Amino acid sequence: MRWPASTVLGVIPAVYFVFVAAEFALMTHLALQATADGRSALLVGLLASSLWAGILLASTVAHAAVQRLGHARVFVGATAAAVAATVSVALHGHVGGWVAGAFVLGLGGGWVWVAGESWLAEAAPPAQRGLLVGLFETAVGLGLMTGPALVPLMRAADVAPPVASAGLMGLALVVSLVLLRVEPPGAPGTAPAAATPPAVTRRAQALGLLAVALLSGLMEGGVSALLPSISMRLGQSLEGAAWLGAVIGAGSALMQPPMGHLADRFGVRRITLLAWAVVLLTNAVLLAAAADPGAVLWGVGFALGGVGGAVYTLMIVELGHRLGGAALVRAIGVLVMAYSLGTALGPTLGGVLFDAGGLPGLALALLLLSAIGLGVTHRVLRPAPPPTPG
């Protein structure tokens, strides 16, 4: 028995929510445990870097794996690899093994990310692609919020977080098995893939969208990592800073579907430019209030975490409109790589800027970055030419 292609529109976001929640519950626990054991900040950072290194490496080869094995096998196999990595971490307390496990977990997460997102973008009806991709990104955002929140709950229930994470990852694997019985993209009876442009055109499109994704990752990654810490440096309590982090995550989770829906109705180009304009205005407000931001940080965090993160979502929608098949998988792999690189670099660059110029210096840099993002998007996402008469 085969399931219809539309099955992936529900299964992939559900699996990825559980996957991301398990992933970040484990990574949060490892960071806290390493800190409690007296390990250096460098080692704690190495744990996080190992995860993102795995994601970056996976995104560079995911298109080849999908082309050879298919979306479903890559998705399920990568989830199985993540289960193995999580179980291995749960079985021992060796920090070197934690770093290796985080790297394998990142590999699995990167393959699941590219295979799942490209499959969903291709399976979504064009008129609803923005909304459906937005819902997928909401599932990711909710997973990012849920994972860390599970850690204290697991401790309160006297359950070892790595064991609970392994159980959740196993659940994700079981549900993902449904995908093995789904009609693959391009199978008879499924929607036809978008026309694939020549190789030179594909490269030009990918490079332009890559730049937009990198800028989006720099913006969102830097904000989500730094604003809670900055609020504490400006006198906010630990609890208040934690709630600010939740507000940023809520913006990322809640703003994706409406931005995608607007893109379905008014076009990706218009809404992406609108998103950058909102980000530009938000950073201008932050710069104006930098001397004493107070509650302004909450609104800034929500807007930059939500609207700034939506830029990446809109790039996925645009690729779904432009490309299909192997070209779509390859382009999304490049986009994930660029976004991940921006997310990894954002906190470090932002920290340097804050140390050098305080909040005004950081706000000015974000303002310039958003202006560049607006300009690059205006150039890359050109309006479609009118049809030739006759």
Side-chain angles (χ1 to χ4, degrees):
M1 174 186 172
R2 283 282 188 179
W3 292 91
S6 60
T7 303
V8 305
L9 301 178
V11 172
I12 288 177
V15 170
Y16 208 47
F17 164 72
V18 178
F19 186 105
V20 172
E23 181 179 38
F24 281 88
L26 178 66
M27 294 305 298
T28 300
H29 164 74
L30 294 182
L32 294 176
Q33 189 61 54
T35 302
D37 291 344
R39 305 287 183 175
S40 67
L42 175 62
L43 181 60
V44 175
L46 182 60
L47 278 168
S49 295
S50 296
L51 177 75
W52 284 104
I55 292 174
L56 283 170
L57 178 60
S59 64
T60 63
V61 298
H63 69 278
V66 170
Q67 191 169 4
R68 182 173 181 178
L69 302 174
H71 292 78
R73 289 181 180 178
V74 172
F75 193 100
V76 174
T79 305
V83 171
T86 309
V87 170
S88 72
V89 170
L91 292 177
H92 64 79
H94 300 294
V95 176
W98 290 358
V99 172
F103 177 75
V104 176
L105 185 58
L107 284 175
W111 282 319
V112 167
W113 188 351
V114 174
E117 200 162 49
S118 60
W119 194 357
L120 186 143
E122 190 163 357
Q128 295 180 295
R129 185 171 282 131
L131 176 61
L132 292 170
V133 173
L135 288 172
F136 171 83
E137 299 301 338
T138 289
V140 176
L142 291 175
L144 290 170
M145 292 174 61
T146 301
L150 287 175
V151 174
L153 297 178
M154 294 172 187
R155 291 179 178 273
D158 200 25
V159 177
V163 174
S165 294
L168 286 172
M169 199 66 80
L171 174 62
L173 176 60
V174 170
V175 177
S176 73
L177 295 176
V178 172
L179 298 174
L180 294 174
R181 304 301 301 171
V182 173
E183 293 285 358
T190 61
T196 301
V200 174
T201 304
R202 289 203 308 268
R203 284 195 293 271
Q205 291 174 343
L207 286 174
L209 298 180
L210 181 151
V212 178
L214 176 65
L215 291 168
S216 174
L218 283 169
M219 180 71 64
E220 188 183 14
V223 167
S224 61
L226 284 179
L227 276 190
S229 173
I230 288 173
S231 72
M232 288 187 67
R233 294 173 185 270
L234 297 176
Q236 182 65 266
S237 66
L238 177 64
E239 292 77 10
W243 278 112
L244 175 57
V247 167
I248 295 170
S252 180
L254 297 176
M255 291 301 294
Q256 313 300 323
M259 294 297 287
H261 179 65
L262 287 173
D264 289 335
R265 184 169 182 181
F266 299 106
V268 172
R269 182 177 189 271
R270 288 181 180 178
I271 303 307
T272 308
L273 290 173
L274 173 64
W276 277 118
V278 171
V279 168
L280 183 69
L281 178 61
T282 301
N283 285 321
V285 171
L286 178 62
L287 180 60
D292 184 20
V296 168
L297 284 180
W298 293 69
V300 168
F302 184 87
L304 296 186
V307 180
V311 171
Y312 168 81
T313 301
L314 294 169
M315 293 303 94
I316 296 295
V317 176
E318 179 68 10
L319 285 176
H321 290 330
R322 293 186 182 190
L323 304 173
L328 176 61
V329 180
R330 186 181 298 109
I332 286 183
V334 172
L335 205 71
V336 169
M337 180 176 63
Y339 180 77
S340 299
L341 181 61
T343 302
L345 292 176
T348 302
L349 294 176
V352 170
L353 290 167
F354 183 81
D355 287 342
L359 186 56
L362 176 61
L364 178 60
L366 290 174
L367 183 65
L368 294 175
L369 183 66
S370 52
I372 293 171
L374 181 64
V376 171
T377 301
H378 183 270
R379 181 175 180 81
V380 171
L381 298 183
R382 294 185 179 277
T388 304

